[in-house]
Amino acid sequence: MARELTTTSFAILSLLAVRPWTTYELKEQMKRAMQPVWPRAESVLYEEPKKLVEHGLARSRTEYTGRRRSTVYEITEEGRASLRQWLDEPGAGPVLEFEALLKVAFADHGDLEQLRTTLRRIRDDAERRVAITEARMAEYEEGGPYPERLPVIALPAKLLREQNALLLRWAEWALDEVEHWDGVTPQTGARVPPDAFSG
């Protein structure tokens, strides 16, 4: 019995609709193109193409580079039809999974240095994300690896650029706010930032 298809299955199928890929290339392309919006464990990415083959949505062949063996996956006509059908259905909205923000939300059970450390890590990660996004944007301004796909690539790219910039602005704002705190509760010197709830 074939395993059930998931959003990750269709993410892989979408990549196969662009061109055939080896398993390694699929993994790398998932990191490059989809990690910001659909992060998945590497082990899952190696299993999904096999699942697509089970369903007849992709086919595989073995190629050799010298003695190195690679499995190449490509989409079938049935896979293209299934992908079009999947695209007919509206997708679910965003879900935020952000452990560091959870730690910020409950920082009053710890101490001020823990909170500042967490905010600094968020800021540093946001700076890294902004740098990666800006490098990718520069690449796309030159056409990128798939210039024929730029119109649709531009839509999520703009959201990711703005999301990363927002995260960086927020982290810098939060760090600036807690710089004036002596503790993490009103009793120990925390204060409500004047513009936090009023916008």
Side-chain angles (χ1 to χ4, degrees):
M1 182 172 156
R3 296 170 286 174
E4 184 180 341
L5 296 176
T6 64
T7 301
T8 303
S9 306
F10 285 103
I12 298 283
L13 195 59
S14 298
L15 287 175
L16 293 178
V18 174
R19 73 169 184 83
W21 305 88
T22 66
T23 310
Y24 175 78
E25 290 170 330
L26 274 172
K27 176 186 72 84
E28 291 301 302
Q29 194 61 24
M30 281 291 285
K31 276 198 313 198
R32 174 187 162 81
M34 297 184 186
Q35 188 72 16
V37 295
W38 198 251
R40 289 298 171 267
E42 205 169 287
S43 58
V44 172
L45 302 181
Y46 281 108
E47 288 304 311
E48 286 299 324
K50 296 173 189 173
K51 188 191 302 184
L52 294 172
V53 170
E54 286 176 22
H55 282 270
L57 305 179
R59 63 181 151 262
S60 65
R61 67 179 186 276
T62 302
E63 289 185 355
Y64 289 88
T65 306
R67 292 181 176 206
R68 200 174 117 239
R69 185 180 133 179
S70 297
T71 303
V72 178
Y73 292 92
E74 62 185 308
I75 196 168
T76 62
E77 284 308 310
E78 187 180 342
R80 288 187 189 282
S82 184
L83 180 57
R84 282 190 296 274
Q85 185 177 10
W86 177 70
L87 289 169
D88 274 340
E89 298 296 320
V95 176
L96 183 62
E97 186 175 295
F98 192 169
E99 182 186 20
L101 190 59
L102 191 61
K103 290 183 177 193
V104 170
F106 291 95
D108 55 335
H109 296 285
D111 62 49
L112 185 57
E113 193 47 43
Q114 290 171 324
L115 174 59
R116 287 177 174 158
T117 298
T118 298
L119 289 171
R120 283 192 293 269
R121 286 185 184 146
I122 293 171
R123 182 207 50 215
D124 294 349
D125 183 58
E127 287 174 343
R128 181 188 61 80
R129 289 170 185 260
V130 165
I132 290 169
T133 302
E134 292 309 312
R136 188 71 41 83
M137 293 299 191
E139 189 180 316
Y140 286 136
E141 282 181 337
E142 300 296 319
Y146 300 100
E148 69 283 0
R149 301 192 65 244
L150 279 179
V152 294
I153 289 171
L155 301 174
K158 173 115 172 125
L159 174 65
L160 293 173
R161 177 186 234 172
E162 291 183 7
Q163 181 182 15
N164 291 332
L166 171 65
L167 180 60
L168 181 55
R169 280 194 312 274
W170 173 83
E172 289 171 342
W173 168 84
L175 274 166
D176 187 53
E177 281 299 324
V178 302
E179 190 61 36
H180 308 290
W181 292 8
D182 296 319
V184 290
T185 65
Q187 296 79 13
T188 60
R191 68 181 183 112
V192 176
D195 59 344
F197 299 117
S198 63

